[in-house]
Amino acid sequence: MERAQIDWRMEQNRQEKATELAEGIVQQHGIVAPPVDPAFLVRDERQLRLIGADFRDVFDGMLEYHHSKRRFLLFYNTKYDVNAGGTHPRTRFSLAHELGHFFIDRHRVYLMTGGHAHGSRGEFTTDSMVEREADAFAAALLMPKSMLRPMVNRAPIALSDVERFANVFRTSFVSTAIRSVQLSDFPCAVVGIRAGQIAWGFLSESLREGGCYGILNGPLQSPTARDAWQAFEAGRREKLPSFTASRHWFRTSDREYLQDLTVTAEFLPMPVMHTLLAFLTIREQDLYPGLR
Amino acid sequence: MNTGDMEFWEWASAKLRRVHRHREMTPEEMEAFLDTVEDEPLPENQIEEIVASIRAGLIPHQEPAPDFSWLGVNRDTEVEEDIYQLARNKGQDDEETLRRIEELRLRELEDDGESTDRLADGTEPTGEGH
């Protein structure tokens, strides 16, 4: 096995463990309905103090360990809450992310044994394995499988469903879209487009099993996606649903029919993240011809 | 239902739903499906642990151990500075905010009483639905 594959598998494994840890914590506290309040989960942690304030652009969240006091201080930025009429989803995610550093053994030990400060760029855009692990923890803490999975599998989901879930769980649209795809039994994917290129993507298990095993990173190949990107760049913020072909989005196994499956693409501009989000779905009976 | 069973049903339910669409399965159909699932051998170390537990008159029980192998060596003795941090979405420092952070830091560290999480204005964060 190549080094890159080993790293990928190791990272997947760690993210899965982080997810299980978060869901276990929610379960232990007897929380059975959204939204999950991260602060409630740590109200009995004597070693940890939460400090929320407007820290401007210094950071979204920060966890630090004070060796001499044997105490963790968790700072979280409340600047997004000003016009949100409550706690903004981004604040909740940052708080949950920092709790990931507190609860994940390796991260806590890292801090307690002399880890050095380092930054990350934000939600699901980080390079560091440690930050992605904390992101996975945060997503699972705020959107536990036990609560979201039944909702996303009642029927094939669309962008409007993701918006509804985000409102119920009080989570950001992007993190909700990613988590919904990860928990969906239907063929779907969420893709982030930046600078006219596919920057990242998440596929549902059903899509992989059906033969669409990866996202085609790099320049956009779908003409409709290119149009949508141009509209986004021109400042048009409307949602643009369209039909495209699977070969424009996915790496597929060598079954010929997989190349020309109809993909429904719904686009959602995320100006703050300089990202155009594409939510992709394929009809189950198209991907699995045996079901017809 | 234990964790292993839960994991199995989560794995199986997606496939069952796909094949049988949205219809609930009858118990007979479930049994028939289960008969088609191949047994998977347990790993050697798990078998050995089960046998050892039974020999000792105990109920076999598995608890995952934390993985600290990535640490290499314990660096506890090398700690020189007092504060260690992990920051999310690190951005641009500004003097005024850094001073504020320092004030809040000192306030929390000087307080040796019960833990009370609060916002910078001294109020406690509003609880949310659980």
Side-chain angles (χ1 to χ4, degrees):
Chain A
M1 199 185 292
E2 285 179 20
R3 176 80 202 176
Q5 272 182 304
I6 294 170
D7 286 348
W8 185 83
R9 278 177 192 275
M10 190 167 75
E11 183 167 356
Q12 292 301 307
N13 186 267
R14 285 186 175 167
Q15 287 186 17
E16 278 170 26
K17 282 186 178 171
T19 298
E20 286 168 16
L21 177 65
E23 282 164 0
I25 291 166
V26 173
Q27 210 171 14
Q28 275 169 17
H29 285 80
I31 300 169
V32 293
V36 175
D37 176 8
F40 174 79
L41 301 174
V42 290
R43 69 199 188 288
D44 295 327
E45 296 286 347
R46 298 285 171 236
Q47 239 195 331
L48 175 69
R49 299 285 173 93
L50 306 186
I51 307 157
D54 181 351
F55 297 119
R56 298 185 182 172
D57 294 328
V58 178
F59 52 69
D60 275 354
M62 180 168 74
L63 181 69
E64 59 184 35
Y65 180 67
H66 290 260
H67 207 254
S68 54
K69 291 278 184 177
R70 296 182 184 278
R71 186 171 292 173
F72 287 90
L73 299 186
L74 191 162
F75 297 89
Y76 62 99
N77 200 336
T78 58
K79 73 171 179 177
Y80 305 104
D81 300 349
V82 177
N83 298 316
T87 312
H88 191 280
R90 187 160 176 169
T91 310
R92 286 164 47 74
F93 196 92
S94 293
L95 180 50
H97 172 103
E98 295 307 323
L99 289 181
H101 291 317
F102 176 74
F103 279 111
I104 297 169
D105 283 332
R106 283 178 302 105
H107 301 201
R108 194 172 60 250
V109 172
Y110 174 81
L111 283 169
M112 294 175 80
T113 57
H116 294 285
H118 71 276
S120 59
R121 289 199 303 274
E123 198 172 320
F124 289 105
T125 64
T126 52
D127 293 329
S128 149
M129 189 189 281
V130 167
E131 296 303 317
R132 282 199 291 260
E133 232 178 312
D135 279 346
F137 177 94
L141 194 81
L142 298 174
M143 295 167 279
K145 185 163 66 175
S146 57
M147 298 179 204
L148 184 57
R149 194 169 195 264
M151 293 186 187
V152 300
N153 287 310
R154 276 182 201 142
I157 49 173
L159 208 59
S160 55
D161 296 307
V162 175
E163 283 176 324
R164 192 162 46 83
F165 302 149
N167 285 334
V168 170
F169 285 85
R170 297 180 59 195
T171 42
S172 72
F173 188 87
V174 177
S175 62
T176 311
I178 293 169
R179 188 78 174 134
S180 298
V181 163
Q182 288 173 331
L183 294 176
S184 175
D185 294 337
F186 294 94
C188 56
V190 59
V191 168
I193 302 166
R194 283 200 206 107
Q197 309 229 348
I198 294 182
W200 52 263
F202 290 80
L203 305 173
S204 71
E205 192 58 37
S206 166
L207 202 57
R208 285 180 204 280
E209 283 188 8
C212 298
Y213 64 83
I215 294 282
L216 284 171
N217 285 324
L220 288 172
Q221 297 191 20
S222 157
T224 47
R226 285 199 291 267
D227 289 346
W229 176 257
Q230 279 174 4
F232 175 63
E233 280 205 307
R236 296 205 296 277
R237 301 285 180 247
E238 72 269 31
K239 295 172 192 176
L240 302 160
S242 62
F243 297 103
T244 67
S246 48
R247 67 176 179 281
H248 293 145
W249 296 99
F250 305 118
R251 288 199 295 271
T252 59
S253 57
D254 53 8
R255 278 164 277 170
E256 211 168 292
Y257 69 90
L258 290 173
Q259 293 285 307
D260 289 312
L261 296 175
T262 301
V263 176
T264 304
E266 294 181 273
F267 297 98
L268 183 68
M270 314 286 291
V272 178
M273 296 173 73
H274 309 292
T275 300
L276 179 66
L277 211 72
F279 194 77
L280 311 173
T281 49
I282 296 179
R283 289 200 321 161
E284 205 168 39
Q285 53 269 47
D286 292 345
L287 188 62
Y288 295 90
L291 294 178
R292 284 178 185 152
Chain B
M1 201 182 283
N2 65 35
T3 311
D5 292 340
M6 281 290 284
E7 279 174 12
F8 169 76
W9 278 113
E10 276 171 10
W11 168 82
S13 62
K15 291 171 174 58
L16 289 169
R17 194 200 49 73
R18 189 177 304 140
V19 173
H20 295 276
R21 315 313 301 272
H22 300 294
R23 183 168 60 87
E24 293 286 328
M25 290 182 86
T26 64
E28 292 74 23
E29 285 171 329
M30 280 189 191
E31 285 297 327
F33 170 77
L34 287 174
D35 288 342
T36 66
V37 178
E38 287 181 19
D39 291 335
E40 279 185 30
L42 286 172
E44 279 298 318
N45 63 331
Q46 208 173 331
I47 295 171
E48 282 167 18
E49 281 172 23
I50 292 169
V51 171
S53 300
I54 292 168
R55 280 191 180 138
L58 302 168
I59 296 168
H61 173 68
Q62 268 212 318
E63 188 130 349
D67 170 22
F68 291 120
S69 56
W70 67 282
L71 273 171
V73 290
N74 189 337
R75 294 186 294 160
D76 210 20
T77 52
E78 295 169 23
V79 173
E80 289 169 2
E81 297 166 44
D82 188 39
I83 310 171
Y84 302 100
Q85 302 171 329
L86 280 169
R88 171 175 159 71
N89 206 11
K90 187 107 177 77
Q92 191 66 43
D93 287 347
D94 73 76
E95 285 300 318
E96 192 187 329
T97 309
L98 290 177
R99 263 200 309 277
R100 187 149 192 233
I101 292 169
E102 188 54 26
E103 282 169 21
L104 291 165
R105 181 181 283 134
L106 288 172
R107 191 170 81 185
E108 288 300 333
L109 292 173
E110 280 166 6
D111 173 19
D112 284 327
E114 287 292 289
S115 168
T116 310
D117 303 320
R118 56 184 163 237
L119 296 168
D121 61 8
T123 60
E124 289 185 27
T126 325
E128 291 162 343
H130 312 123

